[in-house]
Every structure is written in C-alpha cells, then in structure tokens.
Amino acid sequence: TCFTVCLLAVVAVVAGQGRPDEITDCDSAKMRACTSNLATFWQYTNEDMNNFWKDRHVFDDLVTKKYGKNAEDYTYVCNGISLFYHCIGPSNIQYCMGVSGLTNNQMSAFDAYQMDGMLNRIRFECGDAFFPTVTTPDVVNCIQRTKTNYVQNFGSITDSYENQIQHDTYANVCSNAQGFMSNITDVYRRGPCSEVPNDAVLSMAQWYGCNGARQHVLAQYRHCESSLQCGNL
Ligand SMILES: *[C@@H]1O[C@H](CO)[C@@H](O)[C@H](O)[C@H]1NC(C)=O
C-alpha cells in the first residue's frame, strides 16, 4: 500500500550465477543513460553527475543535498536510488557497481569498498529502516538534518576508517569496523536528534545511525557480523 509516501522497492542485489551466455561486462552506455535518468529525477545536470560513481565524496554530497525535512523528501532520495537500480538491472548491478565495477570505473579499490559500503547503508536506510523512519515525523526530520549538517563529518569518519584499515593489521578489522560504527553513531547521538525533547527519537536515531554503519562495514567484512552489535549504544 502507498499512502503519503510511495516507496519503490529496492531490488535485491544478488549476484547472478554466471552462465557463459550472460553479460559479464558493465554495459557502460546503459550506466550513462541510467545515471542521466537519475540526474533528471533529482534535478541535477549530467555535468553535476560526472563524478557521481567515481568519487564517493561527490556521491555523498549529491545524495545528501536531496534530503529535506519530511517523509516525502526522504522518499524522494530513496526512489532515486531505486529507479537507478531498476534502470541498470541485476547483471549491471553486479558488473558496473560492486567493487570490481567501481574499480573499472576509475575508483581506487579502497574507495570502492567504502562506496560499496555506502550503497549497502542506503539499502538499509531505504529498506528495513524506511517505514520506522518515515512514520515518525520528528525522527525523519532530525535524521535528514543530521545527514545534511554533518555530511563533512561522515566523510571524514569514513576517510579515517579507510585509512585505518589500510594501515592496521588485518586481525584488527572487526575492531576498526566497530570504531567506525561508534563514531558514526556519535554523530547521530550529538546532532539534531538530541535536541528533540523525546528520548525515543534519540534512541531511534542512534539505532538508525549504528545499523546503517553496520551494513556499511559488513559489505566488506561479512565475517565480523556476529561481533558487530548495536545493542550497547
Ligand atoms: C573514531 O574516533 C576516534 C576519536 O576521534 C578516533 O581516534 C578513531 O580513529 C576513530 N575510528 C575510526 C575507525 O575512524
């Protein structure tokens, strides 16, 4: 059902079983066309979107600028992402997106892992977290203000995490991932949701921030799943 907000289903990103007759390359013409459709939907120019899939800071910046204050604004962001996924389709999701697709599209492998993590987070925010968020006006409002006001902080927390996992030993990845989750959660804890005089709003915002960050890190480190928890915020 579809009342004040209408969410398009985010397609499941499942890697298809590779058969010899299947496409195994990114259809870059389609990727360009779908990126152009997304630009139109979000009222950006194609030029604005030039580095959208090449630079995760540009991606984050352009996505974040589309948040506003209510459920409709939040849905607008999610629907843009959904339309894009529907447009490129499952095999291109695998070959144009994902770490190898993004790397072929001029992104460094380290950045591609973080970009993949950000897309994982957005799937959570527009999937499991969608209804709990948009049905509470105070929550959806302060979450969007957190994203907008703290886009730089989220970027630098991600930069610092990316740097840490490159230089630290592999044995520490799960604890670094936990550090990333707790730094992201802190932004939600201290940001605009803390000004709402309702503890439930703040705890919802922390749930949202922590679980989004958890999905981000799990894109790369699935084996950390059992140790990464958002229970003890
Ligand atoms: C989290 O923040 C702390 C304090 O600013 C910092 O020392 C730490 O490196 C950060 N962790 C990650 C994974 O970025």
Side-chain angles (χ1 to χ4, degrees):
T1 57
C2 190
F3 35 101
T4 53
V5 290
C6 217
L7 180 73
L8 299 163
V10 176
V11 294
V13 182
V14 177
Q17 298 298 315
R19 285 199 319 262
D21 59 330
E22 273 180 338
I23 314 162
T24 54
D25 275 332
C26 172
D27 180 346
S28 54
K30 192 153 199 195
M31 179 80 175
R32 269 195 304 281
C34 297
T35 302
S36 178
N37 288 348
L38 177 60
T40 305
F41 184 77
W42 278 342
Q43 303 181 314
Y44 283 129
T45 65
N46 286 333
E47 206 159 69
D48 292 333
M49 301 286 279
N50 260 346
N51 293 317
F52 190 72
W53 299 116
K54 295 191 178 113
D55 180 337
R56 64 178 171 80
H57 295 92
V58 170
F59 172 89
D60 208 20
D61 194 47
L62 293 178
V63 172
T64 302
K65 283 199 172 94
K66 293 296 144 184
Y67 285 102
K69 51 186 169 52
N70 56 31
E72 282 80 2
D73 300 327
Y74 189 95
T75 308
Y76 178 52
V77 174
C78 291
N79 282 348
I81 298 287
S82 294
L83 284 170
F84 177 82
Y85 280 129
H86 281 286
C87 179
I88 60 165
S91 69
N92 282 315
I93 292 174
Q94 184 179 5
Y95 295 112
C96 302
M97 316 292 294
V99 172
S100 66
L102 293 166
T103 312
N104 289 337
N105 194 26
Q106 305 169 25
M107 189 177 270
S108 79
F110 288 109
D111 269 349
Y113 277 113
Q114 299 316 312
M115 181 77 168
D116 201 38
M118 289 160 71
L119 291 165
N120 230 27
R121 166 178 58 76
I122 289 173
R123 278 196 292 278
F124 165 76
E125 292 172 352
C126 294
D128 288 351
F130 183 79
F131 278 105
T133 304
V134 298
T135 52
T136 317
D138 282 348
V139 170
V140 79
N141 176 278
C142 71
I143 280 177
Q144 290 181 94
R145 286 193 290 133
T146 306
K147 288 176 176 294
T148 308
N149 298 353
Y150 292 91
V151 62
Q152 306 287 349
N153 304 58
F154 289 128
S156 55
I157 289 168
T158 309
D159 293 345
S160 127
Y161 170 63
E162 182 180 314
N163 185 56
Q164 206 169 57
I165 56 181
Q166 277 178 69
H167 295 101
D168 204 347
T169 65
Y170 188 74
N172 290 336
V173 292
C174 298
S175 65
N176 291 333
Q178 184 76 59
F180 171 79
M181 283 163 55
S182 103
N183 288 359
I184 295 284
T185 307
D186 267 353
V187 178
Y188 281 92
R189 177 186 295 119
R190 293 207 275 255
C193 295
S194 69
E195 290 154 22
V196 180
N198 179 347
D199 288 350
V201 169
L202 185 56
S203 71
M204 176 70 197
Q206 290 176 74
W207 171 86
Y208 178 98
C210 185
N211 283 286
R214 186 169 181 273
Q215 291 306 314
H216 177 132
V217 297
L218 289 180
Q220 186 173 8
Y221 300 126
R222 182 54 63 183
H223 71 283
C224 299
E225 188 159 22
S226 61
S227 68
L228 299 177
Q229 300 303 338
C230 289
N232 311 316
L233 291 168

